[in-house]
Amino acid sequence: MPYCTNCGRSLQDGETCGCTASPEPAAQPDNSAAPQNVQPYNGGMQPPPYSYNGQPYPNQPYPQGWPAPSFEQQLANPPKKSNAWVFAIVIPIIGAVLLLLTAILVPAMLGYTKRSKQASMFSKATTLYKASNTVMVELDEEGKDVKGYYIISSDKSRNSYIPFDVGEYYDKLKNYMDDVCEYEYFIVCRDGIVEYAAISENWNTATDHIGTYPGGVSIGMKKYSRDGRGEPADKKTSLSDLFLYAVNKFSEGY
């Protein structure tokens, strides 16, 4: 038995169905939210970079060569920029600059420290000279015998031909030089007048950190001389060397 190809009703032989209905077209999706007049994305090979709700995918614009997302797929974040060039270029340059500054500044600072300490020792020698002369005046006014040629030292074993009680000199000297006990020194006196003074932090270390009077920063250390025009002392001279030179002059009766 034949059937209508449209509505499916059974037909008699030779009968024609009066059905004129046509099948309803399939429902089309509503694309009103999609952008209009947009060129096919990626040549039409992939769907446009929008989801069904009409919103663009995040992280746009996409980097060149970065794959376009598919529907309902969020684009992954692009790779972060590397800062390795900072470590490869900038840091070595900074290190080189610091090394150069160190090479320049450290010797300069050491030289400044050395000169400053030397100037301080010359200042101490001047103070010792003036303080000792003041003590001699006081001893003379007290009736002490200050006549003669003698050497007074911080080390009592080095004293020579002192005509008075040297303990009085030490006691009085502290009144005019508070830190005198922190140094080693000696003075050369003639008839109650100090002609020469030398001071340092120790006796035997050969160093230029020795202060003498006469002497000073501009002319350096001097060996003992009655007229104050003593020979320049070498920078490797120790306080003991200067003392022995003065003793030799003393033995010569100079």
Side-chain angles (χ1 to χ4, degrees):
M1 178 179 291
Y3 295 89
C4 178
T5 59
N6 186 34
C7 64
R9 185 174 63 86
S10 61
L11 301 174
Q12 298 297 327
D13 293 337
E15 182 182 2
T16 299
C17 181
C19 176
T20 58
S22 59
E24 295 182 0
Q28 298 295 324
D30 183 9
N31 292 327
S32 60
Q36 304 297 319
N37 300 324
V38 178
Q39 295 295 328
Y41 180 74
N42 197 17
M45 299 301 293
Q46 294 184 7
Y50 300 100
S51 60
Y52 285 112
N53 59 8
Q55 299 298 321
Y57 284 92
N59 307 320
Q60 294 199 36
Y62 306 113
Q64 184 177 2
W66 196 253
S70 60
F71 284 100
E72 300 180 357
Q73 177 185 357
Q74 182 173 340
L75 182 65
N77 292 326
K80 295 182 179 180
K81 294 182 179 179
S82 174
N83 294 325
W85 66 275
V86 175
F87 297 94
I89 300 177
V90 177
I91 291 182
I93 292 176
I94 294 176
V97 172
L98 291 177
L99 289 175
L100 179 61
L101 292 176
T102 301
I104 295 174
L105 296 178
V106 169
M109 291 299 297
L110 292 177
Y112 172 79
T113 302
K114 186 176 181 180
R115 290 191 299 272
S116 177
K117 189 172 183 178
Q118 180 62 73
S120 175
M121 295 308 299
F122 279 120
S123 177
K124 292 293 182 183
T126 302
T127 301
L128 175 64
Y129 172 84
K130 293 180 179 180
S132 296
N133 267 320
T134 302
V135 171
M136 291 300 168
V137 171
E138 291 184 359
L139 292 175
D140 186 39
E141 291 176 348
E142 293 174 1
K144 303 296 189 297
D145 182 11
V146 295
K147 300 296 183 179
Y149 180 36
Y150 44 92
I151 297 176
I152 303 176
S153 170
S154 58
D155 180 0
K156 294 182 180 181
S157 65
R158 299 174 186 257
N159 292 340
S160 302
Y161 296 95
I162 303 173
F164 53 85
D165 182 4
V166 72
E168 296 184 43
Y169 166 83
Y170 293 134
D171 292 339
K172 290 180 180 295
L173 184 62
K174 294 177 183 178
N175 297 329
Y176 302 101
M177 191 173 179
D178 296 337
D179 58 348
V180 66
C181 295
E182 300 176 9
Y183 299 93
E184 304 293 348
Y185 63 88
F186 71 92
I187 60 173
V188 179
C189 298
R190 185 183 294 272
D191 296 329
I193 298 175
V194 179
E195 294 183 340
Y196 180 83
I199 188 170
S200 182
E201 293 180 345
N202 56 73
W203 282 100
N204 298 316
T205 301
T207 174
D208 58 352
H209 295 156
I210 299 175
T212 63
Y213 188 92
V217 177
S218 60
I219 58 178
M221 296 180 295
K222 281 188 174 182
K223 298 178 181 178
Y224 167 66
S225 172
R226 185 176 180 182
D227 59 8
R229 300 178 182 177
E231 302 174 20
D234 186 79
K235 290 185 178 181
K236 299 299 182 181
T237 301
S238 68
L239 186 64
S240 290
D241 295 332
L242 294 177
F243 174 79
L244 292 175
Y245 184 87
V247 170
N248 290 334
K249 289 294 182 182
F250 179 86
S251 63
E252 294 172 2
Y254 173 72

